[in-house]
Amino acid sequence: MKETIGAFPFEEDEFITIALAHYNRFKESAHYDQKYKWYVLKELNEFMERSVITKETVGEIVHYLKKENTSSGYFVYWRSLLEFERFSITHEEQCTDVLRTLYDDEKPFKERLNEATRQSHSCGYSLGAPLLGYLLAAFDYTSYPMYKKEVLETFKNMIGAHEKLGRAADNYSQYVELCKHLLPFVAREVKHATMLDVQDFLYCITKYRELFVPVSIHYLKHLSEKPYEEAEDARVCALLKMVHGAICEIPELSSLCIQKARELTTFKNDSYPSLVIYTKEQEGHVKLFLEIEKDEIRYGIMDEHEKDMDVIHRIEDFSFSRLRQKYETAYERLIRLNRQTVREERASYGKREESERQPVSFEHKVQFPSLYFEDEERLKRQIQSALKNGKHLIFAGPPGTGKSKLASEVCKSYGVQSVFTTASSDWSTFETIGGYHPTREGTLAFHPGLFLQCFKDDRTKKEQNKWLIVDEMNRADLDQAFGALLSVLAGDGVSLGFQAENGKNVTISPQQEGRDAVHEYSVPSSWRLIGTMNTRDKATLFQMSYAFMRRFAFISIHPPSEITEKVLLRYMNKWGIENYPFITELTKLWHVINQYEQIGPALIQDVALFTKDEGDFTSAFQLFLWPQIHLFEQEREFMNEICSLNFIDEETIRREWKDEQ
């Protein structure tokens, strides 16, 4: 279907009818939490009606718009309004012209959008489509909807429209056109419907799985009652992918490692819409499934021999909650059946499965998109060069600088699995290389340690190449704990003093393919060890020998050199808490602490997550920051500065400090 929004036959589309009927019922459910929009926008409209936009008042007006913007639901990203407020301060006259242009009902709508964006662009400032929507909805929410790109794109997929997005003004104009086309249909379900009702319908139908899953299933069931039409394939796949995504987000199924939607079966000839949900480890065995026929809907788990399913005959009885409950209760059975299937297959083949080792290309560019570092390019260059030249890595720096997360991201970037562990002063070769463990029969058998488990799966005996991440590496006596591995990393083979099940001594050697025997472990040439080291502990813990250090590249991980709101905003973007309301307070707190003792952003993230709702910085300081501070001569001076912050309860902090002295 190649429809554009203007040409789409809404009046003939059963999906719209089904979706609106479900939406009307959804608004009465406990899941619906969007009523606040009407109150906020009503107050904004009343404020704008009282206001006169002039060069002298524009700053006050924009500040009010920023203050009333809410961090949830459909409203605009707070940083957009922060930048717009700065624009109103630095370019008062131009900002005044922008607002007057947008609110001039005498001019055609699209002309206003283009002129306002051109006026802002001439000053080096860009008005995004979400900000345009918020400014116009604040002026008149009955006529102008707020905008989100993902809502527009998702809904177009749902209805089969494929009009491309472009500039901000064009995108918002396209969205308004969609809302205008939908308004008469929404008015059939909602009395006195306005553009805000249409916008609310679009937001809920694309964002709430409790709504879009039943709507999708209802519509697919409707299609199964009709002759097959090839034109519906794209829409069917889009709806099935949304349902698949909703199932993937069920927390109880998180350990199943559900794959991306790979097999989405649409209806052709006499078949019917169905969804088979594969998992990475259980593919080809027992599966979650969802099948839709004209007479019933079936969902549950299945394998070649049996099915555990619920059957729904009336669409009114179907809900996402019931679907979720079924999958949750079937989870344990799913795991048990898969394990049984795997055991049966191994018994029938009677041989070791092929190696799971995958080639690692060190020409690949390392990426860590979920992390922010001030010197990101330096880090990437050093990591890539060290790994390419056969070195293992140690990330060294103060606590909370992201060393452990960076190690995991490096592994993901190169497409390798990893094993994560934390070093201990009690470590010996028993934990790292392996040793004898008692069996159920009362005998002793060799059990591989952390390192050997990276090279061969102890259960399946498959060769593998899992990189090892050792956190707090310098807490262990490394020469004692790593033992024979040092020789292997230098290119030598080693025979351990332990016997395997076949009676032969366990051996470790540099990469040799096809080490089938249970006593043989081969270290791939592309295997890497990544350690982290807290530099604060360096002087008090075990030291590394030069023999050990020669095999590693040491890469320093620093906190940002300057603590500013701009820097903290970059971290917030990575942490997914863009609407954090206490950015100024958190910046001040981090700045004060780093003047005395450096801490990294991971600790600040803990504080941000704790304070984002109520701003309780006193408790956050006690829980996350104070235990990390180890001052002696400057401790009193430090506490005085902390207590001088107006968002810290001085009495509470000083009482706790006194108790610890």
Side-chain angles (χ1 to χ4, degrees), residues 118-158:
R118 181 185 55 77
Q119 288 169 337
S120 65
H121 228 288
S122 66
C123 305
Y125 176 75
S126 297
L127 283 168
L131 182 58
L132 285 170
Y134 177 69
L135 294 175
L136 284 163
F139 177 71
D140 181 5
Y141 74 80
T142 65
S143 302
Y144 303 105
M146 290 185 289
Y147 170 91
K148 277 192 181 295
K149 177 183 176 182
E150 60 269 28
V151 169
L152 176 59
E153 290 184 325
T154 301
F155 188 76
K156 287 197 301 181
N157 286 334
M158 284 178 155

Side-chain angles (χ1 to χ4, degrees), residues 244-250 252-261 276-282 288 327 334:
H244 182 277
I247 294 169
C248 289
E249 292 173 1
I250 297 175
E252 289 76 8
L253 302 183
S254 60
S255 63
L256 289 180
C257 302
I258 295 176
Q259 291 183 338
K260 291 181 180 179
V276 179
I277 303 162
Y278 287 102
T279 63
K280 291 181 179 178
E281 295 182 356
Q282 284 84 21
L288 299 172
Y327 285 152
L334 174 69

Side-chain angles (χ1 to χ4, degrees), residues 91-223:
H91 298 81
E92 296 169 333
E93 188 172 339
Q94 291 86 347
C95 187
T96 302
D97 291 340
V98 166
L99 291 180
R100 285 177 173 174
T101 299
L102 282 178
Y103 300 152
D104 185 359
D105 287 330
E106 300 297 320
K107 293 182 179 179
F109 175 63
K110 198 160 186 178
E111 182 182 321
R112 281 186 275 151
L113 294 180
N114 289 328
E115 186 177 343
T117 52
R118 181 185 55 77
Q119 288 169 337
S120 65
H121 228 288
S122 66
C123 305
Y125 176 75
S126 297
L127 283 168
L131 182 58
L132 285 170
Y134 177 69
L135 294 175
L136 284 163
F139 177 71
D140 181 5
Y141 74 80
T142 65
S143 302
Y144 303 105
M146 290 185 289
Y147 170 91
K148 277 192 181 295
K149 177 183 176 182
E150 60 269 28
V151 169
L152 176 59
E153 290 184 325
T154 301
F155 188 76
K156 287 197 301 181
N157 286 334
M158 284 178 155
I159 64 174
H162 297 278
E163 197 167 350
K164 293 184 178 179
L165 295 178
R167 299 178 307 152
D170 295 333
N171 295 343
Y172 184 64
S173 179
Q174 183 185 142
Y175 186 67
V176 171
E177 182 185 9
L178 170 63
C179 291
K180 285 181 177 178
H181 280 293
L182 284 171
L183 182 57
F185 302 96
V186 175
R188 296 175 187 174
E189 296 287 340
V190 180
K191 290 183 179 180
H192 312 298
T194 68
M195 290 295 247
L196 181 55
D197 293 287
V198 181
Q199 167 214 294
D200 188 60
F201 163 68
L202 291 172
Y203 182 76
C204 292
I205 197 66
T206 57
K207 289 294 185 180
Y208 287 84
R209 57 190 184 183
E210 292 82 8
L211 177 58
F212 70 69
V213 171
V215 168
S216 300
I217 300 304
H218 190 165
Y219 182 69
L220 293 172
K221 188 174 185 300
H222 162 75
L223 290 182

Side-chain angles (χ1 to χ4, degrees), residues 452-519:
L452 296 193
Q453 291 172 24
C454 292
F455 314 133
K456 183 183 289 186
D457 188 290
D458 189 44
R459 182 171 55 89
T460 66
K461 305 308 178 187
K462 287 182 180 180
E463 288 187 332
Q464 57 190 15
N465 183 9
K466 292 185 177 181
W467 289 11
L468 182 65
I469 300 173
V470 181
D471 202 27
E472 304 288 354
M473 197 169 182
N474 57 328
R475 289 187 178 275
D477 186 335
L478 296 170
D479 292 312
Q480 174 183 316
F482 284 49
L485 189 69
L486 290 176
S487 299
V488 178
L489 296 181
D492 300 324
V494 175
S495 177
L496 303 179
F498 302 103
Q499 287 187 344
E501 296 173 15
N502 59 5
K504 297 182 179 181
N505 275 11
V506 176
T507 61
I508 316 174
S509 59
Q511 181 165 350
Q512 297 180 37
E513 296 299 334
R515 308 302 290 180
D516 291 344
V518 295
H519 69 284

